[in-house]
Every structure is written in structure tokens, then in C-alpha cells.
Amino acid sequence: MFQIITVLSLFLTRLFQSAQIMISRNTQHQIESSAEEYAWILYFLIAFLSSLIGDIFILVASVGYNALKLNRYVVVIIQHIAVCDLLRSIVFVLPTTVSLITKGWIFGETLGYVIFFLNIVSFQVSNICFYMPLF
């Protein structure tokens, strides 16, 4: 029992250290020119809007109208991937875009930790959904 607690505490310590590094890096994106900054902002805005529109369209079509005429398990996997992608765009792309526009991290340290942990969770869930058909 003591070993599990020790491993868990080491794991959480590493995660907090990684979160602190991420928060400090988000305050300065190290972009050298304004053209590059505008290109990144445009890229993230297009990625966020296309993800938002596409994922909501998939979820409404599959849940509301039952438009996907596939095997039920395939539809559930598609829905899970759409939810994970939506979570990923809200947790990662939107705060990154806002911090690029404002030229700094405006969400505070606590929300930085929350976004960091949600980012890890959403990435892992996306990977699970992606590799699930291989098993």
C-alpha cells in the first residue's frame, strides 16, 4: 500500500512540474515576427471552428436524427471520437488561441493546471478511441 502511495505521489509531482513548465511557456510563445503570430492565430482559429462545426454536426446527426446507418458499435466509436475531438479543441486549441491573441496566459495558474490535466486526459482518450478498432 505504501509503495502505491509513493508511486502515485511521484507521478503527481511530475505532472505538477510539467504543468508549471507548460504555464511558463504559454506566457511567451517565442514567436519572432508578427506575420508568424498572425499565421498561427489564423491556423488555430480555423482548426477550432472546423472542429466545433464538424463534431457538433456528427453528434447531432448520429444522436438526434439517427442518420448514421452503420453498426451500433461503430456509431458509438464515432461519437466518442467526436466528443474527444471537441474536448480537445476546447481544452487545448481555444486557450492557445486566446493566449496567442492576448500575447500571454490570461487564465491564471489554477486554470492552467486544470487545462494541463484535461489536455492529458483528452489526448489519452483520443488515443484509446483511435487504437480501439485494432484490438
Side-chain angles (χ1 to χ4, degrees):
M1 183 69 173
F2 180 71
Q3 292 174 345
I4 294 172
I5 293 172
T6 304
V7 169
L8 185 61
S9 67
L10 287 173
F11 176 71
L12 289 175
T13 304
R14 287 289 178 119
L15 282 177
F16 277 119
Q17 289 171 351
S18 299
Q20 288 173 345
I21 291 170
M22 185 205 71
I23 291 169
S24 67
R25 285 186 184 163
N26 272 344
T27 57
Q28 299 175 350
H29 289 284
Q30 300 176 357
I31 296 175
E32 297 171 3
S33 68
S34 61
E36 184 180 2
E37 180 181 1
Y38 293 139
W40 278 111
I41 291 171
L42 181 65
Y43 171 76
F44 279 120
L45 282 174
I46 290 171
F48 177 71
L49 291 176
S50 64
S51 174
L52 190 70
I53 292 168
D55 293 333
I56 289 175
F57 181 75
I58 288 171
L59 290 173
V60 167
S62 65
V63 174
Y65 295 105
N66 219 3
L68 299 177
K69 302 296 183 200
L70 298 170
N71 187 350
R72 177 160 166 72
Y73 298 111
V74 174
V75 172
V76 169
I77 289 174
I78 291 171
Q79 290 170 346
H80 280 281
I81 291 172
V83 168
C84 291
D85 187 43
L86 193 60
L87 178 65
R88 183 90 171 144
S89 64
I90 291 171
V91 168
F92 176 71
V93 177
L94 184 62
T96 302
T97 306
V98 171
S99 67
L100 277 170
I101 292 171
T102 60
K103 295 181 173 54
W105 186 255
I106 63 167
F107 299 110
E109 187 175 344
T110 305
L111 195 57
Y113 287 122
V114 170
I115 287 173
F116 178 77
F117 289 122
L118 287 176
N119 197 7
I120 291 173
V121 170
S122 68
F123 182 71
Q124 296 303 326
V125 172
S126 294
N127 283 343
I128 290 171
C129 288
F130 181 72
Y131 290 115
M132 188 179 290
L134 298 177
F135 293 114

